Amino acid sequence: MRALALALVAPVAFGCVVEDGFEGGELDDVTDVVWDGKADGTQRRAVTASSVEALAGDLSSLAPPCRTADAGRPCEVYLSSSSALGSFGPLGAYGPLGALGPLGSNAWNASAWISAAGDWSGHVDRISGPLGASGPLGASGPLSDRAYYDTLPAINDWAKQLQAGGVWTVLGPLGPLGPLGPLGPLGPLGAHGYANDRGGRFTHGERIVRTVRVPYAAEPFELVELYDEVTARSVPPDTSFVARGEISRGAVDLFPAKSLRDQVVTIVVVPEKQLDNFDLVIRDSAGRVLASSSSAGYIDFVQLQAPRGGRLSIEVSLAASGHFLSKTYRLYVVGSGSRFYETDIHGDHQLAL
């Protein structure tokens, strides 16, 4: 009966949504599972900022190998802490995911102006915009089989490592900078047209909206909310959201998440101020540490292969700070969907769960 009810309230049409849950089964209907091996008997793998840092510039373990990046530069150049993975890169405080980017409640944040427009989701079906078949989530976008599996690795060896399980995977199309993240059509910049409540939840009338279904995709997409700290802890957990938090020295902030599918989940903690360094610990529902990241030179992240029904407890702590202002951060959690569960990349930067 629940499946029938969901089918009635969520017709398959561009822009249609499911209220406070997921089409095909709400989060509470997805049975919790133990984080054991995958169905094929292999171990789940994780990549973290710490595991990449532990390579110490040596990429010889990678398969396929990474020899070429842009013209005249080897891949190892981009392992520098002053390069793409460090605080001066796109994951840093001054990058597009930080306080000066398009996400936030300040006058310069584009999401604040879009949310002020209220709910205009009723007009989405009238245009072929970013959620359309020609948008970034469709067959012409970076998540298409051709773009992801053929075009991206054909650019050079470094670009191959942007895929799931790669050394620079956090910067790739499955991470917070990609089309499934908060900067894309599923996030607060509003291609879906839903309004926000004070906690950051998307609303349509009196309903809380969690997903959007489009006719060209086999499964619904999770919307990417920009939550305040309290709301992020109180809503039914999923694997696509941003939480804005503040922490004091010696404290640990906890955020729940739960995977609806067998998928890759990418978690990044971005400081809002340049001189802060935050660490991550990811635990399962039994409290066992699945992965952790405490890099001194990179922005901390964890990417792991999550099972359907796998619960995560995400712990954020302050490792160091060079100022006396508030210690604020943004926690990014992005689920890839079941299409990108596996990887053909292997190397010493990958950890067995």
Side-chain angles (χ1 to χ4, degrees):
M1 291 298 293
R2 181 183 293 273
L4 176 60
L6 286 169
L8 291 174
V9 300
V12 179
F14 172 49
C16 291
V17 299
V18 180
E19 178 184 352
D20 200 19
F22 297 86
E23 189 169 38
E26 296 182 73
L27 278 172
D28 290 341
D29 294 332
V30 178
T31 303
D32 290 1
V33 300
V34 178
W35 282 72
D36 53 8
K38 294 185 292 184
D40 61 4
T42 60
Q43 287 184 299
R44 303 182 191 280
R45 313 291 291 182
V47 178
T48 74
S50 290
S51 69
V52 173
E53 189 174 52
L55 293 175
D58 181 6
L59 298 177
S60 61
S61 66
L62 290 187
C66 189
R67 301 188 181 96
T68 61
D70 53 316
R73 294 185 181 180
C75 295
E76 287 83 355
V77 169
Y78 293 99
L79 288 174
S80 168
S81 60
S82 61
S83 187
L85 295 175
S87 59
F88 296 112
L91 302 178
Y94 298 146
L97 301 177
L100 298 181
L103 304 176
S105 56
N106 299 299
W108 59 82
N109 300 131
S111 64
W113 294 94
I114 291 176
S115 62
D119 184 1
W120 47 274
S121 59
H123 301 285
V124 170
D125 291 345
R126 302 179 184 179
I127 58 174
S128 181
L131 279 175
S134 299
L137 300 176
S140 300
L143 298 181
S144 68
D145 287 347
R146 180 178 180 182
Y148 184 82
Y149 293 109
D150 297 332
T151 304
L152 183 62
I155 296 172
N156 53 42
D157 295 344
W158 186 87
K160 169 68 177 178
Q161 296 295 321
L162 294 173
Q163 292 180 336
V167 172
W168 291 274
T169 181
V170 69
L171 305 174
L174 303 184
L177 297 169
L180 294 170
L183 304 180
L186 302 171
L189 297 180
H192 44 75
Y194 298 116
N196 299 96
D197 66 12
R198 289 188 176 183
R201 298 178 298 178
F202 292 122
T203 62
H204 180 59
E206 298 298 321
R207 301 190 305 166
I208 304 299
V209 183
R210 303 295 298 275
T211 64
V212 60
R213 174 176 280 280
V214 290
Y216 55 81
E219 59 191 27
F221 292 106
E222 298 178 25
L223 295 172
V224 187
E225 301 89 348
L226 180 60
Y227 291 137
D228 61 30
E229 194 168 348
V230 173
T231 304
R233 294 195 182 104
S234 61
V235 296
D238 61 13
T239 52
S240 291
F241 64 89
V242 184
R244 300 176 63 184
E246 180 177 346
I247 198 169
S248 58
R249 294 180 185 273
V252 176
D253 284 350
L254 302 177
F255 297 93
K258 182 178 179 180
S259 180
L260 180 67
R261 308 174 182 91
D262 291 326
Q263 63 178 341
V264 169
V265 178
T266 305
I267 304 164
V268 187
V269 57
V270 175
E272 288 197 333
K273 301 176 181 67
Q274 185 70 28
L275 298 178
D276 286 336
N277 180 14
F278 297 95
D279 289 344
L280 284 172
V281 176
I282 314 300
R283 300 179 186 270
D284 64 12
S285 57
R288 179 175 67 95
V289 174
L290 296 170
S292 63
S293 184
S294 55
S295 171
Y298 299 153
I299 298 297
D300 280 294
F301 72 88
V302 172
Q303 183 187 85
L304 40 72
Q305 292 175 310
R308 172 181 167 86
R311 286 189 178 271
L312 305 90
S313 177
I314 304 170
E315 300 180 1
V316 178
S317 60
L318 179 67
S321 179
H323 61 82
F324 297 99
L325 302 174
S326 59
K327 321 304 180 186
T328 54
Y329 62 87
R330 297 175 176 206
L331 178 70
Y332 290 84
V333 181
V334 181
S336 69
S338 58
R339 288 181 54 226
F340 304 101
Y341 184 47
E342 301 293 350
T343 180
D344 62 352
I345 298 173
H346 302 281
D348 290 345
H349 66 293
Q350 295 179 348
L351 308 173
L353 298 183

